[in-house]
Amino acid sequence: TRMGLSEAFWHHEYWLPPGATWEDVKGIPYPQPQDLLLCIPGALLLVVVRYIFERTVALPLGRRLGVRDKLRPKVQPNATLEGFYVQLGRTPKEGDLISLAKQSDLPVKNVETWFRHRRAQDRPRLMKKFCEASWRFTFYLTSFFSGLALLYDKPWFWDHTVCWLRFPQQPLPPALGWFYLLELSFYCSLVVTLPFDVKRKDFKEQIIHHIATITLIFVSYCANLVRFGAIVMLVHDASDYILELAKMLHYMKWKWVCEAAFIVFAVVFIISRLVLFPLITYYYFVTKFQLFLISGVINTFLMILQLLHIFWSYLIIQMIFGVILHGAKRKDARSDTEESDRSEAEDLAKNQ
């Protein structure tokens, strides 16, 4: 039955355009689904590399560039308050405050202060944020420029109709296979570290984004849509490293340089995600390509990504208008969570 299930799953009608069968691609260096299993050791390796990078490169760099953690008041150990904090909530309501004050034999004001300081203790430190941003900046920069170096001499990079020429009988260049594996490993490593990373306000959207990205990478590789997939990945990587750079500059308190970097990021993000991405995906993929099961799945996930792009673009535009028109105190709507330390970083666009 396992064989039967496997054969049913890989049936050519699902994975290949109408009229094509797996026989047509025999003898061609064709992507093998089992290659993608390497993303498991790949993701673990990236987690280890990241750990070493943050300790040996990002941390000393942050110190050299003047990133300083604020001193935070220590809270007095209190079993009653700690129990409530862990099990019931970090911000007790007024009734809870009064009953906690009675139980601990403390004035209500002191209980309020205890909770405020306790929340501050749990808030991610500036240096942790800087180290995370440095790692993502380094990865996105590397993947974008290595992807560019890999694709810029390919005719199908410039003329997208060539993407579909003689499909699916397109041999897989080994370098492109490795590029795919690197991207898949990276997104898997982000999922692994999600519980430990600084939690962002768009946490749910990020999880949806990671799942959609991992699915698209896996499915497009198995269906040999790697030419198209590599272009989509490159378009995505174009703006990410600029955002991480802007965050690093923010944590370093380089206000004007940070603002300039953020505006460059916004322009690149909107052009790449709202102009280039739909042109590449919808115009060529949706209108020029025969529909079959897997292309339908890919269309669905591309739509999910596009909706996320619109959501993030709206937040980015909102922030930039906040900067230009109001110049008031703002927060980065795409940024780090909780009532981020008012005096500390309210992350990125706060000081646009």
Side-chain angles (χ1 to χ4, degrees):
T1 55
R2 268 188 67 186
M3 200 58 212
L5 274 175
S6 173
E7 272 175 23
F9 183 77
W10 295 110
H11 195 280
H12 63 85
E13 283 181 4
Y14 303 154
W15 292 88
L16 299 175
T21 70
W22 292 117
E23 286 297 311
D24 301 337
V25 296
K26 278 232 166 100
I28 294 170
Y30 198 82
Q32 298 302 310
Q34 62 267 29
D35 296 346
L36 293 182
L37 290 174
L38 284 169
C39 77
I40 298 166
L44 296 174
L45 180 66
L46 280 174
V47 171
V48 172
V49 170
R50 171 183 166 172
Y51 181 83
I52 296 166
F53 173 87
E54 287 191 3
R55 298 294 170 286
T56 60
V57 179
L59 197 63
L61 180 70
R63 285 187 185 132
R64 289 282 299 271
L65 293 169
V67 178
R68 293 280 173 269
D69 283 329
K70 263 190 74 199
L71 283 172
R72 290 172 176 175
K74 278 230 177 304
V75 296
Q76 290 298 315
N78 185 311
T80 311
L81 303 185
E82 186 66 34
F84 186 96
Y85 182 87
V86 172
Q87 286 162 14
L88 298 169
R90 299 158 59 133
T91 43
K93 295 188 171 60
E94 203 171 332
D96 295 324
L97 281 172
I98 294 163
S99 91
L100 284 167
K102 278 184 189 150
Q103 287 171 49
S104 354
D105 200 21
L106 288 168
V108 174
K109 205 163 182 54
N110 291 19
V111 176
E112 262 184 314
T113 307
W114 188 94
F115 273 92
R116 196 170 63 250
H117 291 170
R118 182 69 184 80
R119 285 195 299 272
Q121 259 187 21
D122 275 0
R123 220 163 286 142
R125 294 189 171 270
L126 213 53
M127 185 60 90
K128 178 175 164 63
K129 294 177 185 176
F130 179 84
C131 289
E132 275 187 25
S134 305
W135 164 248
R136 286 194 297 264
F137 167 74
T138 306
F139 182 86
Y140 289 136
L141 187 77
T142 309
S143 70
F144 177 67
F145 285 101
S146 55
L148 207 54
L150 198 64
L151 299 186
Y152 90 102
D153 62 342
K154 306 285 189 287
W156 44 267
F157 180 62
W158 302 102
D159 177 4
H160 298 150
T161 49
V162 183
C163 263
W164 315 116
L165 208 60
R166 303 197 59 231
F167 176 82
Q169 294 160 311
Q170 296 172 340
L172 171 73
L176 202 53
W178 286 108
F179 178 65
Y180 244 74
L181 190 61
L182 177 72
E183 291 271 344
L184 183 60
S185 300
F186 179 70
Y187 281 102
C188 290
S189 79
L190 285 185
V191 172
V192 171
T193 57
L194 261 179
F196 315 104
D197 288 346
V198 172
K199 199 173 176 187
R200 307 193 176 278
K201 289 202 192 83
D202 59 352
F203 183 72
K204 288 193 190 93
E205 289 83 1
Q206 279 196 315
I207 290 174
I208 296 166
H209 180 269
H210 294 343
I211 291 168
T213 306
I214 289 166
T215 306
L216 281 169
I217 292 174
F218 175 79
V219 168
S220 63
Y221 187 82
C222 296
N224 200 20
L225 289 164
V226 286
R227 293 181 175 184
F228 168 73
I231 293 171
V232 169
M233 286 195 275
L234 200 65
V235 166
H236 274 77
D237 286 346
S239 59
D240 287 336
Y241 67 93
I242 311 170
L243 175 65
E244 300 305 334
L245 176 65
K247 287 185 180 182
M248 289 163 68
L249 292 163
H250 171 65
Y251 304 139
M252 287 151 53
K253 309 267 194 282
W254 290 16
K255 190 171 182 292
W256 299 113
V257 196
C258 167
E259 288 177 4
F262 187 77
I263 286 167
V264 171
F265 156 72
V267 170
V268 174
F269 184 92
I270 288 162
I271 291 172
S272 62
R273 308 283 179 105
L274 296 191
V275 180
L276 292 178
F277 179 74
L279 277 178
I280 293 162
T281 56
Y282 297 110
Y283 183 67
Y284 287 103
F285 187 63
V286 178
T287 62
K288 304 277 184 203
F289 202 54
Q290 294 165 290
L291 195 67
F292 52 103
L293 182 76
I294 286 305
S295 72
V297 170
I298 289 175
N299 282 348
T300 307
F301 279 95
L302 290 172
M303 288 283 288
I304 291 169
L305 284 184
Q306 189 57 41
L307 291 170
L308 287 171
H309 297 160
I310 293 164
F311 166 73
W312 280 321
S313 298
Y314 165 71
L315 297 184
I316 289 162
I317 290 164
Q318 208 181 19
M319 269 161 30
I320 286 186
F321 273 99
V323 172
I324 296 165
L325 299 177
H326 308 299
K329 275 189 95 178
R330 302 138 301 264
K331 292 185 183 181
D332 169 7
R334 257 211 71 179
S335 120
D336 305 299
T337 190
E338 236 241 302
E339 342 109 52
S340 30
D341 233 331
R342 306 292 185 284
S343 49
E344 201 193 289
E346 284 185 345
D347 208 10
L348 195 51
K350 170 195 164 188
N351 64 0
Q352 281 348 318

